[in-house]
Amino acid sequence: MNADLLIESLASMDSYKRFGKISRVVGLLIASKGPESSVGDVCIIHLKNGRQRIKAEVVGFKDEEILLMPYTSVAHISPGCLVEATGKPLEIKVGDELLGQVCDSMGNPMSDMRFSKGFEMVPTNQEPPDPLQRPRIKEAIELGIRSINGLLTVGKGQRVGIFAGSGVGKSTLLGMIARNTSADLNVIALIGERGREVREFLEKDLGTEGMARSIVIVATSDQPALMRIKGAMTATAIAEYFRSKGKNVLLMMDSLTRVAMSQREIGLAVGEPPTTKGYPPSVFALLPRLLERTGTDINGSITAFYTVLVDGDDLDEPISDTVRGILDGHIVLDRSLAQKGQYPAINLLKSVSRVMTEIDSKEHLMAAAHFRALLSQYTESEDLINIGAYKQGSSAAIDAAIQYHPKILSYMVQPEDVKVTLDQSINQLEIDFGEGGKPDVV
């Protein structure tokens, strides 16, 4: 840097530190008289013991006070504690060294790993790519799961929701995708998980093979609501960093519902009115802002899978309905199929990939349509068939559905430790359900 630039930088530098004082704490919310800050800025609370400092974020204003939410517990905060303004939002360190690491919501590795000089500082909250600069999705991505590869083909840069109740196999499905995908790396966000389930997912579902090419962000359910939201933001920012380097990234977030519930906690705490079934407006503003950050840009792509917890398997509750309208497809896991022993328990008739017609061949699409038609016909007539009320020969369509049904079940079921490539999935589908396919004789 030459002397003129150095003098100019020094002249523009703000040499003052701005402080405020804590006036009250109500629940999760901290109110402070000053300092001058903007919404989203990070502030540092200096505790009176003189040693501890707590980071908090400005979430709103009321009268003469700024409203803060801490990244940790509010314990030990007392009236009169100094609040220091940093003047900038939260930034995280990102670099290639993160690969294979488990990090907290602030992007700090939970192991003894230390960053070298090769890292970059990136803000957790960024703008989505310009919609006019987004390349179209034209290439399929390998996921290793036959039913998704063949019947719900996902493209590089597509955003997909996995909708299911609890205990229907979401984590197992994510683990299979992480181990078998053709993406350059995985970024996995575990938001609001039970502490017990984190290690179980890492060792059982993800495994050594998947962990070696993954970055895992963990924000457990006992952490403050703001930390859970920051976990989702941090994971997305890390994925964006690698996309900017020309990588094809696979982002998986489990679960988006808990991100929305965290924002509900914050919104209600700052005084927002509960509108749709108890969710304040800020929840429905956050979701598109977060989800639109993924996808394609001029450098690379982020293919994203977001799990959505469906209360009572109700797909029309507010969060499910909103997310389904934003994403480029959805995969529904059905409890009734899981109870029958079908894994992955994908309800094909309720699932859709909105870019499948753009990336698949005509022959593939025809075979997939034939598969859906046969499955739909069998599902509609299943009760009649099971009680013996259907007489063979009454309907050619039902007869065909019955004859093809063993092949349909065989195609949908896949053991957890088996990988089926995209080409294998498409070839089997076209052979069994294409124009030359023959039904099994019953």
Side-chain angles (χ1 to χ4, degrees):
M1 182 181 289
N2 60 40
D4 292 338
L5 285 175
L6 182 59
I7 292 170
E8 186 179 336
S9 298
L10 289 172
S12 61
M13 183 183 296
D14 187 354
S15 58
Y16 291 94
K17 283 189 176 182
R18 291 175 169 81
F19 290 91
K21 281 189 175 182
I22 299 292
S23 56
R24 58 195 171 92
V25 176
V26 181
L28 303 173
L29 207 62
I30 301 168
S32 170
K33 299 281 189 181
E36 183 181 328
S37 298
S38 303
V39 172
D41 282 358
V42 174
C43 291
I44 298 171
I45 301 172
H46 297 264
L47 301 185
K48 290 189 174 179
N49 59 21
R51 294 186 302 274
Q52 258 185 303
R53 304 195 311 169
I54 293 175
K55 285 186 177 180
E57 185 172 307
V58 180
V59 294
F61 305 94
K62 188 172 184 180
D63 300 327
E64 299 294 321
E65 297 175 324
I66 67 168
L67 304 178
L68 301 152
M69 275 207 169
Y71 291 145
T72 56
S73 168
V74 296
H76 309 301
I77 295 176
S78 58
C81 286
L82 290 179
V83 181
E84 179 186 346
T86 64
K88 58 183 181 181
L90 180 67
E91 294 183 332
I92 58 169
K93 297 176 181 179
V94 188
D96 292 334
E97 294 166 311
L98 281 180
L99 209 59
Q101 295 293 325
V102 180
C103 304
D104 63 18
S105 298
M106 316 284 280
N108 300 315
M110 298 171 77
S111 65
D112 296 329
M113 191 274 277
R114 295 291 180 266
F115 283 96
S116 66
K117 295 181 180 179
F119 68 82
E120 293 184 31
M121 297 295 293
V122 298
T124 58
N125 201 355
Q126 302 184 45
E127 291 296 318
D130 184 338
L132 296 181
Q133 297 296 319
R134 285 186 186 265
R136 292 177 60 186
I137 299 171
K138 295 184 177 180
E139 184 181 354
I141 186 171
E142 170 69 74
L143 298 176
I145 299 175
R146 179 171 48 228
S147 52
I148 299 178
N149 282 340
L151 301 165
L152 299 164
T153 314
V154 174
K156 288 181 180 178
Q158 186 175 349
R159 301 159 306 156
V160 182
I162 299 176
F163 293 76
S166 57
V168 190
K170 295 186 301 299
S171 297
T172 302
L173 184 63
L174 291 179
M176 290 175 70
I177 293 172
R179 291 194 305 272
N180 298 327
T181 181
S182 61
D184 296 322
L185 73 151
N186 308 315
V187 179
I188 303 171
L190 302 179
I191 309 299
E193 290 283 355
R194 304 175 187 91
R196 173 189 64 81
E197 292 179 328
V198 173
R199 188 163 183 176
E200 185 177 307
F201 175 82
L202 296 176
E203 296 180 358
K204 177 178 174 289
D205 297 321
L206 193 56
T208 307
E209 179 187 355
M211 191 64 217
R213 55 204 298 265
S214 302
I215 302 168
V216 182
I217 309 298
V218 175
T220 50
S221 58
D222 60 297
Q223 295 184 2
L226 192 58
M227 286 296 276
R228 282 174 263 148
I229 292 178
K230 286 301 169 187
M233 295 292 186
T234 294
T236 306
I238 292 172
E240 288 171 324
Y241 168 82
F242 285 102
R243 178 179 63 183
S244 71
K245 303 297 182 185
K247 303 287 188 182
N248 292 312
V249 185
L250 182 69
L251 171 67
M252 292 183 281
M253 192 174 294
D254 184 17
S255 75
L256 193 60
T257 305
R258 294 191 182 110
V259 176
M261 292 171 70
S262 301
Q263 182 60 38
R264 178 172 65 180
E265 283 184 46
I266 294 174
L268 294 176
V270 299
E272 282 190 79
T275 51
T276 310
K277 291 194 176 180
Y279 287 97
S282 62
V283 173
F284 302 100
L286 171 71
L287 290 174
R289 203 166 63 240
L290 176 64
L291 301 179
E292 286 292 345
R293 289 170 60 181
T294 55
T296 58
D297 74 357
I298 56 175
N299 299 306
S301 68
I302 301 174
T303 307
F305 285 87
Y306 300 94
T307 69
V308 180
L309 290 169
V310 184
D311 292 333
D313 296 332
D314 176 17
L315 292 173
D316 295 322
E317 60 94 24
I319 300 303
S320 301
D321 196 44
T322 302
V323 170
R324 202 164 56 242
I326 298 169
L327 298 177
D328 308 316
H330 51 273
I331 296 170
V332 177
L333 302 185
D334 196 317
R335 190 177 304 277
S336 64
L337 296 177
Q339 290 169 346
K340 293 177 183 177
Q342 177 181 316
Y343 287 99
I346 296 173
N347 187 325
L348 179 64
L349 301 180
K350 292 183 179 179
S351 306
V352 67
S353 171
R354 292 179 179 168
V355 304
M356 185 172 175
T357 55
E358 301 290 325
I359 57 179
D360 286 335
S361 67
K362 183 179 178 181
E363 293 77 14
H364 180 187
L365 292 173
M366 288 176 63
H370 186 211
F371 187 107
R372 279 181 177 270
L374 290 166
L375 179 58
S376 176
Q377 185 66 68
Y378 188 90
T379 303
E380 289 177 6
S381 311
E382 188 170 14
D383 289 342
L384 292 175
I385 295 167
N386 288 340
I387 65 174
Y390 174 73
K391 183 179 179 181
Q392 189 172 359
S394 302
S395 166
I398 297 177
D399 288 345
I402 294 172
Q403 292 175 332
Y404 271 103
H405 194 62
K407 282 188 174 181
I408 290 174
L409 287 180
S410 176
Y411 193 87
M412 294 296 291
V413 173
Q414 181 178 331
E416 183 182 349
D417 57 349
V418 173
K419 175 181 178 179
V420 183
T421 67
L422 183 64
D423 289 339
Q424 290 171 339
S425 305
I426 295 172
N427 289 340
Q428 185 178 343
L429 184 70
E430 292 181 352
I431 290 170
D432 289 347
F433 299 93
E435 291 184 355
K438 300 293 182 184
D440 288 348
V441 177
V442 178

